[in-house]
Amino acid sequence: MAATWRAVRGATGYRISWVSQTGEDTKDFDVGPAVTSYAIQNLQPSTEYTISVSPLFGAAEGPAVSTRVKTDSGIVQVLRTFADSPTSIQVTWNLIPEATGYRLEWRRARGGTKSPQIVNLPTTVNKYDITGLRPGTEYRITLFTLYDGKEIATPATTSETGSTIGTITDLKVIEVTGKRVRLSWNGIAGATEYKVVIRNADGSFERTRNVPGNRNTIDIDDLEENITYYVLISALIGRREGSPVSITVRTETVTFSITNLRVLDARRGRIRLAWNGFPGATEYRIFIRNSEDGTERSQVISGDQTTYELTDIQEGITYIVRITPMVGAREGIPVNINVKTEDTVVAGVANLRVVDTTSSRLRIAWTGIARATGYRVTWRHSDGREISRTLPAGTTSFDIEPLQGNTVYVIGVTALIGSTESSPATVTVRTEEDSVDQVSNLRSSSIGENVIRLEWSPVPRATSYRITWRRRDGVEVSRLVTRDVTSMDIPDLVPGTAYTIFVSTLIGTRESEPISIVAQTARQEVGAVTSLRIFESQNIVRVTWVGVQGATAYKISWSPERGGPEQSKEVPGNANTFELVNLEPGVRYVVKVTALVGNRQGDPVSTSVTTRE
């Protein structure tokens, strides 16, 4: 928006400030004394701002003048016209929240009166039918969006009414498949195109498509499932349009389709396709369209077939192939693929092998091919279920997991170049047995402040045992012992600390679930201070002692021997002296010193002293 103001005599400049009603958007800008307008940009839409302008006199700022204004919503007005009969034109436009109304004007583009016909409409209306027009005549239509104190004309739109030309007949629905509808009709002689308009019931969706005049079918794709649509089809001869014929269709809810539609082989004159079928499919409908000349053909194959070979294919031509599964009379969601014979045959991978096997995982590796854009790994369970993963180019190994133990798997790897896929290289492998017995009778004992002894019963066929211990602070250590070891001393532990210890059985590379136990080392005893002495001078009593190794602090406490409150004080572990002050004269005190290690304490050592009168 633009802010303008009148110049103030003597001003050396002006300061323009703006702030949104919420206070989130606030800025100011200074301009020179010759400027009396400023364009404020990058404001938030549909937001009320307070705009202020104040004169500047050197470093001083004069009184500001303010006003409030709200920005527009930012919605761009668009005017649309549709000649729905030889004598009428339907006009639609966008609703603008800030508008106070709309004015629609129209007149003939050539000839006729120069004064337009006018209709004023409220803010809630965004559609109007202009009737009583001359057939085959071009009209200039203009929409004015009205605001408080201003109006904005949408760029003029011209629309031509249709002269009386024929209408299509026998409009009908040929096929409804999930989100796709196929329609057909009988055309009219001389039609250059057919205009197809698709709208939903509440008017929130509209799409227009034109098809050539030599066609009388249309596939409408990407609709929403289980929605009613109105379709209007009118014939066009040049710029003239016939009356539309309408039909109501409702899409279906479809939840099944094929997957992994791909090219297995592409050679001169034929293309071989494959896909993962839908369980329970009774048949597959295959639709093939030549993208260059528009010719179409279709075929139905059995539901237990998951490959198909296209023959009589022209070289260098792209074909659109759509495959739809059928379960009885129910039709699934179609899947499309674009194919052409110039795609080269992809060489297969080499040296496919299994490099590691456990009960639940197989690692495979292979030698890749040049120009591969990816690889597809497929494996089949014993129950017939097939799973596949597509990997990026440059991958030459893959871990397949989770798998079942002691189970045979057939693994295939194919190379991909674009949408073309090589023949698979396969390998058959059995996973290892998945049962490794756990240790039993796991027990522990503390044999000192720094050592825990662990014991367990042996496991048949075990080749080793893994012992892992973790302190409560997360520090973890692991050791492997041979099969003949069934006890172990864990040294160098922290006194008085709890440890979680795990023991698992290993048979080759397979490992059992670990068994755990919680054990705690013995607490370290805290010693007592020695050589506790007291020196008294001028109502100050000094206490000294010989400290305890490892002490983190010392607690000094004192109280009158005849009874009374006890006072205490802690000093650091490196101290060995403390002064008692503000004692009562002529009183006998009992003084105790206790060594501390963390939150543990040793035995207190005490002595007594009598202060001077």
Side-chain angles (χ1 to χ4, degrees), residues 193-345:
E193 284 184 307
Y194 294 98
K195 180 179 178 181
V196 182
V197 179
I198 309 104
R199 299 174 183 157
N200 62 3
D202 62 9
S204 61
F205 169 85
E206 180 174 310
R207 182 193 301 169
T208 301
R209 287 178 55 185
N210 284 22
V211 297
N214 60 353
R215 286 182 54 188
N216 63 347
T217 62
I218 184 172
D219 288 334
I220 305 172
D221 299 310
D222 298 327
L223 301 176
E224 293 187 32
E225 294 182 5
N226 202 30
I227 296 293
T228 297
Y229 290 89
Y230 303 109
V231 183
L232 298 90
I233 301 181
S234 54
L236 301 177
I237 300 179
R239 299 180 63 182
R240 294 182 298 129
E241 182 175 352
S243 298
V245 177
S246 64
I247 191 172
T248 301
V249 297
R250 186 174 183 85
T251 54
E252 298 176 339
T253 300
V254 180
T255 58
F256 62 92
S257 68
I258 67 168
T259 58
N260 194 22
L261 177 58
R262 59 200 184 275
V263 175
L264 285 184
D265 192 14
R267 300 182 183 179
R268 178 173 298 180
R270 69 181 184 86
I271 297 174
R272 185 171 180 81
L273 302 177
W275 60 90
N276 294 341
F278 177 75
T282 55
E283 62 185 26
Y284 295 100
R285 293 183 179 177
I286 302 176
F287 172 82
I288 306 116
R289 176 186 294 170
N290 184 315
S291 64
E292 185 166 297
D293 60 17
T295 56
E296 302 173 351
R297 53 192 167 111
S298 62
Q299 186 171 346
V300 177
I301 63 174
S302 170
D304 57 5
Q305 185 174 337
T306 56
T307 61
Y308 180 74
E309 189 168 287
L310 284 70
T311 57
D312 300 327
I313 298 298
Q314 300 179 42
E315 292 186 21
I317 301 297
T318 297
Y319 290 83
I320 299 132
V321 181
R322 181 172 67 243
I323 300 181
T324 306
M326 300 291 297
V327 179
R330 294 178 59 232
E331 188 169 341
I333 301 173
V335 176
N336 293 356
I337 189 173
N338 293 349
V339 296
K340 57 183 176 179
T341 54
E342 67 185 21
D343 289 335
T344 58
V345 178

Side-chain angles (χ1 to χ4, degrees), residues 544-609:
T544 64
W545 62 90
V546 174
V548 174
Q549 184 175 2
T552 57
Y554 295 97
K555 179 181 177 182
I556 300 94
S557 58
W558 63 96
S559 62
E561 188 178 50
R562 68 174 182 270
E566 183 180 77
Q567 301 180 62
S568 65
K569 181 74 173 181
E570 285 191 12
V571 296
N574 58 357
N576 62 357
T577 181
F578 182 75
E579 291 183 349
L580 306 179
V581 297
N582 298 324
L583 301 179
E584 295 183 21
V587 175
R588 186 171 183 81
Y589 284 87
V590 177
V591 181
K592 293 183 288 184
V593 178
T594 306
L596 305 176
V597 177
N599 59 358
R600 296 179 294 121
Q601 63 183 27
D603 294 331
V605 177
S606 62
T607 187
S608 60
V609 62

Side-chain angles (χ1 to χ4, degrees), residues 392-557:
T395 305
T396 56
S397 65
F398 182 66
D399 287 349
I400 304 175
E401 56 185 347
L403 302 176
Q404 298 175 354
N406 195 29
T407 302
V408 174
Y409 289 87
V410 178
I411 304 169
V413 178
T414 57
L416 305 173
I417 296 181
S419 61
T420 306
E421 187 169 4
S422 74
S423 298
T426 61
V427 64
T428 301
V429 63
R430 179 187 294 272
T431 54
E432 295 185 357
E433 295 182 5
D434 57 359
S435 59
V436 176
D437 293 337
Q438 298 173 314
V439 300
S440 60
N441 195 23
L442 179 63
R443 54 204 182 276
S444 67
S445 59
S446 175
I447 58 174
E449 297 175 345
N450 306 101
V451 180
I452 290 176
R453 174 164 292 169
L454 202 64
E455 297 178 277
W456 62 90
S457 298
V459 176
R461 299 187 302 115
T463 57
S464 60
Y465 300 97
R466 187 188 309 276
I467 297 91
T468 304
W469 58 96
R470 182 187 298 120
R471 291 203 326 240
R472 287 183 178 173
D473 61 4
V475 176
E476 183 175 288
V477 183
S478 183
R479 293 286 187 273
L480 279 177
V481 297
T482 57
R483 58 182 298 178
D484 55 336
V485 175
T486 57
S487 68
M488 176 179 172
D489 289 346
I490 303 176
D492 302 324
L493 303 180
V494 179
T497 302
Y499 290 84
T500 301
I501 306 171
F502 302 88
V503 179
S504 56
T505 308
L506 283 86
I507 300 179
T509 59
R510 296 181 294 128
E511 186 169 357
S512 73
E513 290 295 322
I515 295 294
S516 65
I517 191 172
V518 177
Q520 182 166 329
T521 52
R523 289 183 174 273
Q524 183 179 17
E525 294 296 330
V526 180
V529 301
T530 58
S531 302
L532 178 62
R533 295 181 181 179
I534 292 180
F535 302 92
E536 191 251 345
S537 173
Q538 297 180 352
N539 292 329
I540 296 177
V541 174
R542 174 173 292 156
V543 183
T544 64
W545 62 90
V546 174
V548 174
Q549 184 175 2
T552 57
Y554 295 97
K555 179 181 177 182
I556 300 94
S557 58

